[in-house]
Amino acid sequence: MDIKSLTIYCSSSDLLDHKYYKLAKEIGIFLSNKKITIIYGGGKVGMMGEISKSAINTGGKVIGVIPKFLNSKEIINYNISKTIIVNDMSERKKKMFQLGDAFLILPGGSGTIEEAVEIISWKLLNIHKKQIIIFNYYSFWNSLIKMYDKFKKKDFAEKNLQNICVNVKNLKEFKKLFS
């Protein structure tokens, strides 16, 4: 997989089980070592914060894209390579789409789901041909995957997620994509 920049969608929550922050930290370090620029939501907290901090601390390049109004929730991270302040969520998603060569969907809440479903829909509509990686850590995305399977089975869609995305379950499988 020849990727120079990876757009990452993930949680901004500071209330998660420690294993999610550990995963985020390991991904940040791995991508930094691979010289892959991280494009993410621009926050200092949650998995987003762990990914950006671990990548920056190991010499990686990190670009954050965040609307100004989210400063009180996600706390804008200025301690990265570049912080891009945008007006709203639509502009954020568009910029993150433009900057990334591929997409990584990590565990997250409603914002992550919105971003993931949009990028998946765009791929189904042939708006882009970029790689989408779903990190199904501890089976987090099983419900989403089953939902798309149901769409296909009931003829609401021609493809399921396995047809258009790469699904990985652990760090070893994720790292193998880049070897």
Side-chain angles (χ1 to χ4, degrees), residues 15-53:
L15 304 174
L16 307 176
D17 185 294
H18 177 72
K19 67 186 177 192
Y20 294 105
Y21 306 119
K22 184 176 184 282
L23 173 68
K25 181 178 182 178
E26 290 172 350
I27 288 172
I29 292 167
F30 173 75
L31 294 173
S32 171
N33 290 335
K34 285 288 192 179
K35 306 290 186 234
I36 296 172
T37 300
I38 294 170
I39 313 299
Y40 86 115
K44 276 188 179 182
V45 295
M47 292 177 73
M48 286 198 301
E50 284 299 318
I51 286 172
S52 63
K53 182 171 62 174

Side-chain angles (χ1 to χ4, degrees), residues 158-169:
E158 294 175 6
K159 299 176 182 176
N160 61 18
L161 290 185
Q162 291 81 352
N163 295 125
I164 65 159
C165 299
V166 175
N167 296 312
V168 297
K169 296 180 212 139

Side-chain angles (χ1 to χ4, degrees), residues 74-90:
E74 294 179 2
I75 309 170
I76 297 173
N77 191 352
Y78 293 104
N79 299 320
I80 55 177
S81 309
K82 184 176 184 181
T83 303
I84 301 171
I85 309 291
V86 295
N87 294 318
D88 55 38
M89 294 300 285
S90 295

Side-chain angles (χ1 to χ4, degrees), residues 26-142:
E26 290 172 350
I27 288 172
I29 292 167
F30 173 75
L31 294 173
S32 171
N33 290 335
K34 285 288 192 179
K35 306 290 186 234
I36 296 172
T37 300
I38 294 170
I39 313 299
Y40 86 115
K44 276 188 179 182
V45 295
M47 292 177 73
M48 286 198 301
E50 284 299 318
I51 286 172
S52 63
K53 182 171 62 174
S54 62
I56 287 295
N57 288 345
T58 53
K61 183 175 180 186
V62 179
I63 299 172
V65 183
I66 189 166
K68 188 173 178 103
F69 80 88
L70 277 181
N71 191 35
S72 60
K73 182 174 176 10
E74 294 179 2
I75 309 170
I76 297 173
N77 191 352
Y78 293 104
N79 299 320
I80 55 177
S81 309
K82 184 176 184 181
T83 303
I84 301 171
I85 309 291
V86 295
N87 294 318
D88 55 38
M89 294 300 285
S90 295
E91 192 177 345
R92 176 197 219 182
K93 291 187 295 181
K94 181 179 179 184
K95 192 70 171 168
M96 289 174 71
F97 170 77
Q98 291 168 340
L99 293 172
D101 294 335
F103 306 95
L104 173 60
I105 302 167
L106 292 172
S110 60
T112 304
I113 291 169
E114 178 194 7
E115 292 163 330
V117 169
E118 181 173 69
I119 215 68
I120 290 165
S121 296
W122 288 1
K123 186 157 185 174
L124 287 167
L125 294 168
N126 290 315
I127 293 172
H128 74 87
K129 302 222 183 288
K130 298 177 183 184
Q131 187 66 255
I132 300 171
I133 304 162
I134 298 176
F135 205 127
N136 196 18
Y137 191 60
Y138 282 90
S139 303
F140 187 87
W141 293 113
N142 277 359

